[in-house]
Amino acid sequence: MNRPVDQSQVTVRISAEDAADLQARVDRGEFASLDEGLAAELAELNYRRAADIVGGSEKLEALLDELEAEAIDPGECVDGRAFLSEMLADLEARAKAAGE
């Protein structure tokens, strides 16, 4: 039932009425293409589902704000190679001091 989706191409079937509505929105300039319009509609559906799950759009927005505030700042990241080199040097110094 939950099979992986090949990300290179996916075919989606929608009703003729929905396709005509989406094409009209593309023709009005709301979307650059049917693909963009469909992606936007799916994103909106996902947003509404997430809002339902957490108890409303206000709670979802608060959660998203909280997650954004907790996002990792790349400037706060450490250089892994330098960190591990320092740790190894510290361990070697401790081993030498302990006579190992």
Side-chain angles (χ1 to χ4, degrees), residues 21 47 77:
D21 177 56
Y47 179 88
C77 295

Side-chain angles (χ1 to χ4, degrees), residues 18-41 44:
D18 288 340
D21 177 56
L22 194 54
Q23 183 61 56
R25 294 174 71 188
V26 170
D27 294 343
R28 286 193 305 265
E30 288 183 49
F31 304 110
S33 67
L34 288 172
D35 289 340
E36 182 183 300
L38 188 55
E41 290 298 314
E44 177 65 25

Side-chain angles (χ1 to χ4, degrees), residues 58-89:
E58 288 178 8
K59 287 184 179 181
L60 177 59
E61 290 300 324
L63 176 62
L64 292 173
D65 289 344
E66 183 179 326
L67 291 173
E68 185 176 329
E70 292 176 4
I72 295 173
D73 179 7
E76 295 177 1
C77 295
V78 297
D79 177 7
R81 179 167 285 172
F83 176 79
L84 291 174
S85 294
E86 290 173 18
M87 189 169 65
L88 179 59

Side-chain angles (χ1 to χ4, degrees), residues 4-21:
V5 176
D6 176 9
Q7 298 296 320
S8 62
Q9 183 177 3
V10 175
T11 301
V12 177
R13 293 179 188 257
I14 59 175
S15 70
E17 182 180 298
D18 288 340
D21 177 56

